């Protein structure tokens, strides 16, 4: 525990450093780009802490660990705990029924209740699922707040390229997709940032759409993050025209005022994922790999980091722990 180096300062590496610092350990933290930025997957996230919604397509471990994420993050950054909403267009009501059957932690609301929560979304006959305990945060602010919390403990990010073989002692490898682990693949995600004064939302909203499911996360000051495509491709590069068309059409279907919004940013990156989409702590000798965060980087990094720190401190192997 005295000599720990973390490679990678995305959400996984920063949380690993934070978890160790809470136990009195001061790890070395290295990233080839220095501070978090557009080079890392963590930069492009929506920041939804939505374990129950994610439960529609995720393993039980994600739902169970994800429920602690909002309180973990609240220790380092601002977390908005307004719940999240899932809506469908009237013609797609069957999608809402199906989503409700596959998830828990929600109340079905319509009419007056929806108008109270999100007046801009209340249209005739529209129903929604309210996941009242879910939360969201602003990912870039959260990364900056984590970096600042680490600096207070004397941990700064050294800008250097490294692999575990280059470094003696215990290494925590948080290089994301660059770690190139067996079974790890990239799942492309694309996002768009819009600005409009004509729509107000207090919480993330998912639109269930048979072809183009969408979520919108309010960032404040009329800024909205629209996400995200999920494409089985490890092709890097900017957002495609098709992704833009799909995301913008879905946003327009949710609220026509999005058609007049300014497009202020687009982005794309590859989510590191294992086949079951559950992140892992993998031990290989003196190296712990924290990887496979897929679309749950912000939801699962605190739990993953905790299990890595538990293992290093006491030898405890949690349910996300694997040995190679
Ligand atoms: C569009 C989109 C939306 C998303 N929305 C959400 C969401 O709402 N909620 C959620 O929980 N998750 C979301 N995610 C998923 C989340 O962003 C990822 O799971 C997470 O960012 C993965 O984090 P990471 O730290 O493993 O990887 P990264 O953030 O990619 O960090 C890896 C770091 O390692 C560094 N590195 C790589 N190789 C080396 C080397 N050789 N030497 C030194 N440093 C190196 C890189 O520079 C980088 O900084 C989203 C992802 C996308 C793309």
């Amino acid at each position: 525990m005295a000599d720990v180096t973390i490679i990678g300062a995305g959400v996984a590496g920063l949380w690993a450093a934070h978890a160790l610092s809470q136990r009195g350990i001061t790890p070395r933290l290295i990233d080839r780009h220095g501070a978090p930025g557009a080079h890392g997957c963590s930069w492009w996230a929506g920041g939804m802490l939505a374990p129950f919604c994610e439960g529609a397509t995720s393993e039980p471990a994600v739902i169970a660990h994800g429920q602690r994420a909002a309180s973990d993050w609240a220790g380092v950054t601002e977390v908005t705990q307004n719940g999240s909403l899932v809506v469908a267009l009237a013609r797609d009501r069957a999608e809402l029924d199906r989503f409700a059957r596959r998830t828990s932690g929600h109340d079905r609301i319509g009419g007056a209740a929806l108008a109270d929560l999100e007046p801009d979304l209340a249209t005739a006959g529209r129903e929604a699922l309210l996941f009242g305990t879910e939360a969201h945060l602003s990912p870039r602010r959260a990364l900056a707040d984590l970096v600042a919390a680490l600096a207070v403990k004397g941990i700064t990010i050294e800008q250097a390229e490294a692999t575990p073989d280059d470094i003696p002692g215990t290494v925590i490898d948080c290089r994301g997709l660059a770690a190139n682990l067996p079974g790890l693949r990239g799942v492309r995600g694309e996002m768009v940032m819009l600005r409009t004064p004509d729509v107000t939302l207090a919480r993330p909203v998912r639109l269930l759409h048979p072809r183009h499911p969408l979520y919108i996360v309010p960032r404040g000051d009329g800024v909205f993050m629209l996400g995200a495509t999920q494409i089985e491709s490890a092709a890097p590069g900017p957002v495609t025209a098709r992704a833009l068309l799909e995301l913008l059409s879905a946003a327009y279907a949710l609220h026509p005022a999005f058609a007049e919004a300014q497009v202020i940013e687009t982005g794309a990156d590859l989510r590191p994922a294992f086949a079951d989409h559950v992140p892992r702590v993998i031990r290989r000798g003196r190296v712990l790999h924290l990887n496979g965060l897929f679309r749950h980087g912000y939801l699962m990094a605190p739990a993953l980091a905790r299990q890595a720190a538990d293992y290093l401190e006491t030898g405890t192997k949690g349910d996300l722990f694997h040995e190679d």
Side-chain angles (χ1 to χ4, degrees), residues 48-66:
M48 289 182 302
L49 303 174
F52 294 108
C53 285
E54 290 299 313
T57 52
S58 303
E59 296 293 316
V62 172
I63 308 170
H65 289 294

